[in-house]
Amino acid sequence: MRQIRYRTIADQLRHRVVAGEFALGRTLPSEADLSGHYGASRVTIRRALELLRSDGLVDARQGFGWFVAVDPLRQSLGRLGTIEAQLTASGVHSERRILDFGFVTASAHVAAVLASPTVLEVRRLNLADGEPFARVTVWCPEELGASLSRSDVERAPFYELLSEPLGGAVQTIGAAVVSASDAGLLKVPVGSPVLRCERITSTPAGRPVLLSEHVFPAHRTEFVVDLPMAARSIAPTGMRLVD
Amino acid sequence: MRQIRYRTIADQLRHRVVAGEFALGRTLPSEADLSGHYGASRVTIRRALELLRSDGLVDARQGFGWFVAVDPLRQSLGRLGTIEAQLTASGVHSERRILDFGFVTASAHVAAVLASPTVLEVRRLNLADGEPFARVTVWCPEELGASLSRSDVERAPFYELLSEPLGGAVQTIGAAVVSASDAGLLKVPVGSPVLRCERITSTPAGRPVLLSEHVFPAHRTEFVVDLPMAARSIAPTGMRLVD
DNA sequence: CTGGCGCACTTGTCCTATACTTGTATCTTC
DNA sequence: GAAGATACAAGTATAGGACAAGTGCGCCAG
């Protein structure tokens, strides 16, 4: 697959802007600086920036520079935190039980995301005060998982074990009917609904390095998003149709 | 029976496209690359690709390349928008059908959120190309809804009708089993899972002015969140235990 | 201390050149 | 009719450059 350079640069710049790397009203590095940093010509950098401008994320004034146009959502999502952090904060004992650990041939979807034919697959059950509340599967490319042992994964969170620095992530949340095996693991009746979350974690450069699937029983969990920016619609943002 | 080469190549390419091997916004390998990969001439590759184009699966622009026309699984990872914006952008005709319109005594939950005993309740069915994809209920305080008519609500989006400026919003997404009435409206089997989204829209000052409930059939919708900040965990952020 | 000039730096807009892409046509072989 | 080989036209992405126009800031004359 051929990469369109200015699109990937636009994606990386969008991440940096939304991450709050550049303060509101302050300028971004000049086109010349960005050109040197990304090893791309000024034309390419401009096209990427103009893509972001068409999103309304940044703007430019001649002679002044590029600057962040609107305040992106910033830390609002981070403030909510992960469910494990909430559990430990409220004094609930949380533990992870490893169900499977091993190198497998990646499915088409996993192989496509991680760009790796063989992957480390770790299946896990998360418990709160002894009660199961999530079934998690994590995949990572073979070369990253090679140095990990089963006891490593049981002892520490996955992101602490990777030498690779992690950047952003994309989460996809959907509803589904619980599978037969998950129904047993999560101790819910067959046919009950679950929230299914797929998360793709990437390096700062944008290369996907972790793919994880999280299944939660619907009756115990929900998903919260804080949207501090001006709303242009009452419709949920981020929702999309799948085929 | 002799095999038609370009048909078998078309089938293989179709499989790779629907498997999600090529992300939206990126191009497929060039005709020359595919020619080398499949050991077929460019003419044959072209005929295969044009077969896929006639299906509406892929498209090409001269000098640019071939790309996935309608995304079967994933979409632009950075940009999030409302589902209506995605629909109009992709040329799908979207319409709203009003099911109920009237002032009612607020339920305990609605009254607590909007701080108003009587509210305007609008129940609505959203359709994409004639097919229902969401059942939406909107509540707003009596004094704000007093100036709205049923035809107003049918004609324009809700946020355009309010004089009050809107600030942020909080979304809560959960999974549930479809209710009997929603099953009929959304044309899904009884017992199938739905995504249920509750959204509280507030003024810039923070006073809640709109409460809405959106119910989507799970098989057609999913929810995407882009998390550009440094990840401190692989767990989904924003998820929480209820009750 | 102040006003104005000039320099350095920025974006905006052109240009040329190259490599690569699809679109189209022609000829040959089976 | 299917398939291969080839050639050329037209469009796109990118690199690299030149220049105009706008901005910010320091310096200098007064």
Side-chain angles (χ1 to χ4, degrees):
Chain A
M1 172 184 5
R2 194 174 104 252
Q3 295 282 331
I4 303 298
R5 193 97 158 82
Y6 73 88
R7 283 183 185 268
T8 67
I9 291 178
D11 285 344
Q12 293 173 29
L13 279 173
R14 179 181 292 115
H15 265 100
R16 294 176 67 182
V17 168
V18 178
E21 182 174 337
F22 315 108
L24 190 67
R26 294 296 300 262
T27 58
L28 275 62
S30 71
E31 292 173 1
D33 285 351
L34 291 170
S35 168
H37 180 267
Y38 286 104
S41 79
R42 223 191 108 203
V43 182
T44 308
I45 296 292
R46 268 190 78 77
R47 296 190 75 158
L49 285 167
E50 270 155 9
L51 221 59
L52 264 63
R53 166 147 63 184
S54 72
D55 290 351
L57 199 61
V58 299
D59 201 1
R61 284 209 321 275
Q62 186 176 164
F64 179 82
W66 290 85
F67 52 91
V68 180
V70 295
D71 197 7
L73 44 128
R74 202 59 63 86
Q75 284 196 334
S76 61
L77 284 169
R79 217 178 307 133
L80 292 166
T82 68
I83 198 164
E84 278 84 0
Q86 295 175 36
L87 290 175
T88 54
S90 57
V92 174
H93 174 65
S94 83
E95 58 179 315
R96 296 179 289 272
R97 189 188 306 158
I98 306 293
L99 303 171
D100 284 309
F101 178 96
F103 292 88
V104 298
T105 306
S107 69
H109 177 60
V110 173
V113 171
L114 296 180
S116 174
T118 307
V119 294
L120 172 63
E121 178 182 284
V122 181
R123 288 183 70 241
R124 211 171 60 186
L125 192 66
N126 289 7
L127 302 99
D129 272 345
E131 284 297 305
F133 75 91
R135 200 267 303 150
V136 181
T137 308
V138 184
W139 296 272
C140 82
E142 190 177 17
E143 67 269 20
L144 281 179
S147 58
L148 300 182
S149 71
R150 183 176 176 128
S151 61
D152 283 339
V153 175
E154 199 146 27
R155 175 177 48 80
F158 223 97
Y159 64 97
E160 284 185 7
L161 299 170
L162 293 182
S163 51
E164 197 100 1
L166 297 181
V170 178
Q171 289 180 177
T172 305
I173 295 104
V177 174
V178 69
S179 70
S181 68
D182 284 343
L185 289 169
L186 297 172
K187 296 182 181 173
V188 295
V190 174
S192 54
V194 292
L195 270 178
R196 185 184 167 280
C197 175
E198 180 178 294
R199 183 176 168 120
I200 302 175
T201 308
S202 305
T203 61
R207 186 170 65 93
V209 287
L210 281 180
L211 174 63
S212 52
E213 180 202 38
H214 310 249
V215 175
F216 302 90
H219 71 283
R220 292 192 69 190
T221 48
E222 63 185 8
F223 189 83
V224 187
V225 185
D226 187 15
L227 303 161
M229 72 285 236
R232 289 187 310 273
S233 165
I234 62 155
T237 49
M239 185 70 64
R240 69 181 176 191
L241 281 182
V242 293
D243 203 300
Chain B
M1 159 162 186
R2 192 167 140 233
Q3 286 282 342
I4 307 295
R5 191 98 156 81
Y6 72 88
R7 286 191 182 275
T8 66
I9 291 178
D11 286 343
Q12 293 174 32
L13 280 173
R14 187 195 324 272
H15 185 265
R16 293 175 68 182
V17 168
V18 298
E21 181 174 338
F22 313 110
L24 198 72
R26 305 283 192 268
T27 58
L28 273 62
S30 70
E31 292 173 3
D33 286 351
L34 291 170
S35 168
H37 182 267
Y38 285 103
S41 78
R42 225 191 105 203
V43 183
T44 308
I45 296 291
R46 266 191 78 76
R47 298 184 83 151
L49 285 168
E50 269 155 9
L51 221 58
L52 265 62
R53 165 146 64 183
S54 70
D55 291 349
L57 200 61
V58 298
D59 200 1
R61 284 210 322 274
Q62 185 177 164
F64 180 84
W66 291 85
F67 50 91
V68 181
V70 285
D71 179 24
L73 205 62
R74 69 199 84 155
Q75 194 150 357
S76 69
L77 260 50
R79 215 169 322 161
L80 300 177
T82 67
I83 201 165
E84 279 83 2
Q86 292 176 35
L87 290 176
T88 54
S90 57
V92 174
H93 173 65
S94 83
E95 57 179 317
R96 298 178 286 274
R97 189 186 306 158
I98 307 294
L99 303 171
D100 285 310
F101 179 97
F103 292 89
V104 298
T105 306
S107 70
H109 176 58
V110 173
V113 170
L114 295 180
S116 174
T118 308
V119 294
L120 171 64
E121 178 181 283
V122 181
R123 288 183 69 242
R124 210 172 59 186
L125 192 66
N126 288 7
L127 303 100
D129 273 344
E131 285 296 305
F133 75 91
R135 201 267 302 150
V136 181
T137 307
V138 183
W139 296 273
C140 79
E142 191 177 15
E143 69 271 21
L144 280 178
S147 59
L148 299 181
S149 71
R150 185 180 174 125
S151 61
D152 282 339
V153 175
E154 198 147 28
R155 177 177 46 81
F158 223 95
Y159 65 97
E160 284 185 6
L161 300 171
L162 294 182
S163 52
E164 198 98 2
L166 297 181
V170 177
Q171 287 179 181
T172 305
I173 295 104
V177 173
V178 69
S179 70
S181 68
D182 283 344
L185 289 170
L186 297 171
K187 296 182 183 173
V188 295
V190 174
S192 52
V194 292
L195 270 178
R196 186 184 167 280
C197 176
E198 180 178 291
R199 183 177 169 120
I200 302 174
T201 308
S202 306
T203 61
R207 186 169 66 92
V209 287
L210 281 179
L211 175 63
S212 52
E213 180 203 38
H214 310 249
V215 175
F216 302 89
H219 71 284
R220 291 191 70 190
T221 48
E222 62 187 9
F223 189 83
V224 190
V225 185
D226 190 15
L227 302 161
M229 71 288 236
R232 288 186 311 273
S233 165
I234 62 156
T237 50
M239 187 72 65
R240 71 179 177 194
L241 285 180
V242 292
D243 163 15

